[in-house]
Amino acid sequence: MDFADVWTPKIVGEELLEAVRWANRAAGRVGPAGLRSNMPNLALITSDEDFDGWPPIEIRPMRRALAPARVSQLERAIWWQATYLKDQPGAARVLKHWVRAKLTHGMTFGEACDRRGWSRPTAYRRRDEALAAISMGLAQEGVAYGRH
């Protein structure tokens, strides 16, 4: 096995962030006006009471169309949380907040932890556990990086 094909928690985090950025650009905001696309209501970016008072996610227009294979990869990445963290709801919730904080202009994960009343060291451990669980799940299923 080539080490370039191995999923790491860092690579999983970067891919999740890219997938959520893409989903926000492709599907737009989902709100009271209803769903304007057939994109799923995403567990990682869903607007719920956890994010009341947060600044909106910064959505930049797509500069170029993505290849269909890349779109398929990003669609599958959106579902990693539901697939690999279904038995770890705490880690999944922390990961959702980390993703949202990374994509929200003017918000840090530390500030998100403070808003929730979470211990920062514990939240960072839960985030790392979530990313590691996803990377291990991908490895166990034999999903090579770049071929997901």
Side-chain angles (χ1 to χ4, degrees):
M1 173 180 269
D2 183 8
F3 286 108
D5 292 344
V6 176
W7 287 100
T8 63
K10 182 179 189 292
I11 291 171
V12 167
E14 291 167 355
E15 193 69 6
L16 281 173
L17 291 171
E18 184 59 31
V20 174
R21 275 188 202 101
W22 166 80
N24 274 298
R25 289 182 199 130
R29 250 189 102 193
V30 177
L35 195 60
R36 298 194 188 284
S37 160
N38 62 357
M39 292 297 296
N41 186 6
L42 306 169
L44 284 171
I45 60 171
T46 187
S47 351
D48 57 24
E49 61 276 357
D50 283 348
F51 302 115
D52 283 347
W54 281 48
I57 292 176
E58 183 178 344
I59 300 175
R60 294 183 182 144
M62 287 196 268
R63 294 178 186 229
R64 67 183 205 281
L66 298 177
R70 181 64 178 146
V71 170
S72 294
Q73 289 175 335
L74 296 173
E75 286 176 338
R76 285 188 291 273
I78 290 293
W79 293 101
W80 289 347
Q81 179 189 13
T83 303
Y84 300 110
L85 300 179
K86 60 185 166 206
D87 297 330
Q88 300 177 41
R93 188 171 192 188
V94 170
L95 182 62
K96 177 174 74 169
H97 279 75
W98 176 75
V99 167
R100 178 68 192 266
K102 292 291 281 185
L103 299 178
T104 302
H105 181 70
M107 177 68 66
T108 66
F109 184 53
E111 292 170 335
C113 293
D114 293 343
R115 283 179 179 234
R116 299 291 308 159
W118 293 341
S119 159
R120 284 186 185 195
T122 300
Y124 278 99
R125 276 193 302 274
R126 294 292 173 269
R127 180 214 51 196
D128 294 345
E129 288 169 11
L131 294 172
I134 293 170
S135 65
M136 287 186 289
L138 290 165
Q140 286 174 347
E141 289 185 7
V143 179
Y145 175 67
R147 296 177 189 86
H148 59 290

